[in-house]
C-alpha cells in the first residue's frame, strides 16, 4: 500500500516538474517580449500623445467643427465597438477583463452592435454568442502596422459619415506598470469638445485652408487611425506583462506544490522503511 502511494506521488512530482519547466520557460520568453514591446510602446506613445493632443486642441479651440463629428448631433442608435484582445491565452485575466467590459457595453445597447475584433479571443467569444463580426485582425496585435490600422479604420469612418453607425467606441487594456493594467473604454466618435476642460484655450482666431470642412474631414480619420494604432501597441505591451506575471505565479505555485509533494514522498518512504524494519524484527523474533 505504501509502495503504491509512493508511486502515485512520484508520478505527480514528475508531472508538476514538467509543468514548472514549461511555465518558467514561458515566463522568460514573456519577459523578453515585454521588454521589446515596452520599448516600442514608450517610443510611439510620446509621439502619438503629442499628435492626438494637438488634434484635440484644435477641436477644443474651434467653434467651426462640422456638427456631424460632435456629440449631440444625432441620436446614438448603432455603436461600433473596436475590441482589442490577444491571440493567445495563459495571460491571467487580460482577455476576460476586456471581454467583460465590452459585453457590459453591448448588453446595455438596444440596437445590434457593429463589432470590429482585433485579436482572436474577442472574435471567438462574441462569434460563439451569435454576434456578427464586421471586420477582424487575427494576427498577433504586436505585429500590426500603421498601414493595417488605416485599412481597418477607413470603413469605420465611412460608416459613421454615412450614418450606418452613430458612435465608435474603443475598448482595450491600458498599461499602468508591468504589474498593473487597466481596461479602458474610449469614445472616439462623436467628439465631445467639453470632455477635456484641461486643454488650453487659445485667444487667437484660427483660419483653415482650403476650408473648415476639408481640414476636419482629414483630421478626424487620422485621429481615429492613430488612437486605434496606439491602443493596439499599448494592449500588446499589457498582454506580455500579464502573461509574464501569470507564468511567474504559476511557476511559484508549481514549486510550492513540488515542495509539499517531496515532503509527502519522504514521509511515505519513511513509513515504508519503518514497516519493513518492523517486519524484519517480527520475523527474527518468530525464529527464536
Amino acid at each position: 500500500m505504501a509502495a503504491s502511494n509512493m508511486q502515485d506521488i512520484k508520478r505527480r512530482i514528475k508531472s508538476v516538474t514538467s509543468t514548472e519547466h514549461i511555465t518558467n520557460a514561458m515566463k522568460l520568453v514573456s519577459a523578453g517580449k515585454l521588454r521589446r514591446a515596452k520599448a516600442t510602446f514608450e517610443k510611439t506613445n510620446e509621439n502619438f500623445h503629442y499628435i492626438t493632443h494637438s488634434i484635440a486642441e484644435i477641436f477644443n479651440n474651434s467653434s467651426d467643427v462640422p456638427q456631424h463629428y460632435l456629440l449631440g448631433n444625432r441620436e446614438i442608435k448603432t455603436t461600433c465597438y473596436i475590441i482589442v484582445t490577444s491571440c493567445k491565452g495563459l495571460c491571467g485575466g487580460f482577455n476576460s477583463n476586456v471581454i467583460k467590459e465590452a459585453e457590459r457595453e453591448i448588453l446595455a445597447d438596444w440596437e445590434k452592435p457593429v463589432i470590429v475584433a482585433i485579436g482572436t479571443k474577442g472574435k471567438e467569444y462574441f462569434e460563439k454568442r451569435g454576434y456578427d463580426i464586421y471586420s477582424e485582425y487575427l494576427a498577433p496585435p504586436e505585429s500590426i502596422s500603421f498601414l493595417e490600422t488605416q485599412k481597418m479604420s477607413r470603413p469605420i469612418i465611412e460608416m459613421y459619415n454615412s450614418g450606418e453607425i452613430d458612435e465608435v467606441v474603443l475598448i482595450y487594456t491600458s498599461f499602468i506598470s508591468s504589474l498593473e493594467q487597466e481596461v479602458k473604454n474610449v469614445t472616439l466618435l462623436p467628439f465631445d469638445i467639453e470632455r477635456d476642460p484641461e486643454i488650453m484655450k487659445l485667444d487667437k482666431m484660427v483660419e483653415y485652408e482650403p476650408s473648415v470642412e476639408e481640414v476636419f474631414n482629414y483630421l478626424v480619420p487620422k485621429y481615429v487611425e492613430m488612437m486605434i494604432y496606439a491602443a493596439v501597441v499599448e494592449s500588446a505591451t499589457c498582454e506580455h506583462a500579464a502573461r509574464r506575471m501569470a507564468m511567474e505565479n504559476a511557476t511559484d505555485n508549481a514549486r510550492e506544490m513540488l515542495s509539499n509533494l517531496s515532503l509527502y514522498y519522504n514521509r511515505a518512504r519513511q513509513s515504508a522503511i519503518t514497516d519493513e524494519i518492523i517486519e524484519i524484527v517480527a520475523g527474527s523474533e518468530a525464529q527464536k
Side-chain angles (χ1 to χ4, degrees):
M1 184 70 180
S4 173
N5 190 36
M6 284 170 64
Q7 286 297 319
D8 289 342
I9 296 172
K10 279 181 80 174
R11 276 195 295 268
R12 183 73 173 143
I13 288 173
K14 189 177 179 181
S15 172
V16 175
T17 301
S18 176
T19 302
E20 188 267 338
H21 288 162
I22 293 167
T23 57
N24 192 46
M26 288 185 72
K27 181 190 80 171
L28 297 174
V29 169
S30 294
K33 286 185 176 181
L34 172 60
R35 279 193 297 273
R36 290 194 294 273
K38 194 177 175 185
T40 305
F41 164 64
E42 287 172 350
K43 188 169 64 178
T44 58
N45 187 49
E46 188 176 341
N47 296 331
F48 278 104
H49 178 74
Y50 173 75
I51 295 166
T52 52
H53 184 82
S54 299
I55 293 173
E57 193 174 83
I58 293 170
F59 273 98
N60 277 264
N61 280 285
S62 177
S63 57
D64 299 324
V65 181
Q67 286 300 306
H68 66 283
Y69 290 132
L70 295 180
L71 186 66
N73 77 90
R74 62 175 106 164
E75 185 185 354
I76 294 174
K77 293 180 180 177
T78 305
T79 301
C80 173
Y81 294 97
I82 305 167
I83 303 166
V84 186
T85 57
S86 71
C87 294
K88 298 175 183 176
L90 299 175
C91 46
F94 174 80
N95 289 310
S96 61
N97 291 339
V98 174
I99 288 168
K100 277 178 190 172
E101 176 65 20
E103 192 168 40
R104 185 183 66 78
E105 287 284 324
I106 288 169
L107 291 174
D109 281 351
W110 292 99
E111 299 288 331
K112 186 179 179 183
V114 172
I115 295 176
V116 174
I118 300 175
T120 56
K121 294 297 180 181
K123 181 208 176 240
E124 289 167 359
Y125 182 89
F126 288 104
E127 207 169 42
K128 280 178 184 175
R129 282 151 184 79
Y131 292 99
D132 294 330
I133 308 297
Y134 173 76
S135 65
E136 58 198 41
Y137 178 85
L138 303 182
E142 65 260 30
S143 66
I144 198 170
S145 68
F146 187 66
L147 184 62
E148 287 167 317
T149 308
Q150 285 181 309
K151 288 178 183 175
M152 198 186 304
S153 304
R154 279 172 195 156
I156 297 170
I157 300 291
E158 286 168 10
M159 283 195 295
Y160 181 84
N161 288 337
S162 66
E164 290 178 62
I165 59 174
D166 307 298
E167 186 181 40
V168 180
V169 174
L170 176 63
I171 299 173
Y172 69 103
T173 310
S174 172
F175 184 83
I176 297 170
S177 72
S178 296
L179 300 175
E180 188 181 1
Q181 299 85 43
E182 181 182 67
V183 176
K184 268 197 175 179
N185 182 328
V186 180
T187 302
L188 299 182
L189 288 173
F191 201 90
D192 183 5
I193 60 171
E194 299 299 326
R195 181 170 296 172
D196 196 352
E198 293 181 7
I199 291 179
M200 186 175 63
K201 291 284 182 183
L202 302 177
D203 295 329
K204 59 187 177 182
M205 293 291 292
V206 180
E207 292 186 8
Y208 299 97
E209 292 291 343
S211 69
V212 171
E213 196 77 25
E214 285 290 325
V215 169
F216 281 101
N217 284 341
Y218 173 81
L219 278 179
V220 170
K222 292 298 173 192
Y223 175 76
V224 172
E225 289 164 11
M226 287 185 290
M227 286 293 286
I228 294 172
Y229 181 72
V232 172
V233 170
E234 188 170 1
S235 183
T237 308
C238 293
E239 178 193 343
H240 295 310
R243 185 172 290 111
R244 188 200 65 78
M245 196 189 303
M247 291 301 100
E248 185 174 13
N249 290 338
T251 303
D252 290 344
N253 290 340
R255 286 171 181 169
E256 186 181 347
M257 195 178 290
L258 282 172
S259 176
N260 292 334
L261 286 169
S262 295
L263 184 63
Y264 296 147
Y265 179 78
N266 289 334
R267 283 177 181 171
R269 185 168 169 270
Q270 198 171 31
S271 176
I273 291 169
T274 304
D275 290 345
E276 285 179 14
I277 292 170
I278 290 169
E279 285 176 12
I280 292 168
V281 170
S284 65
E285 287 292 327
Q287 286 178 351
K288 286 182 182 177

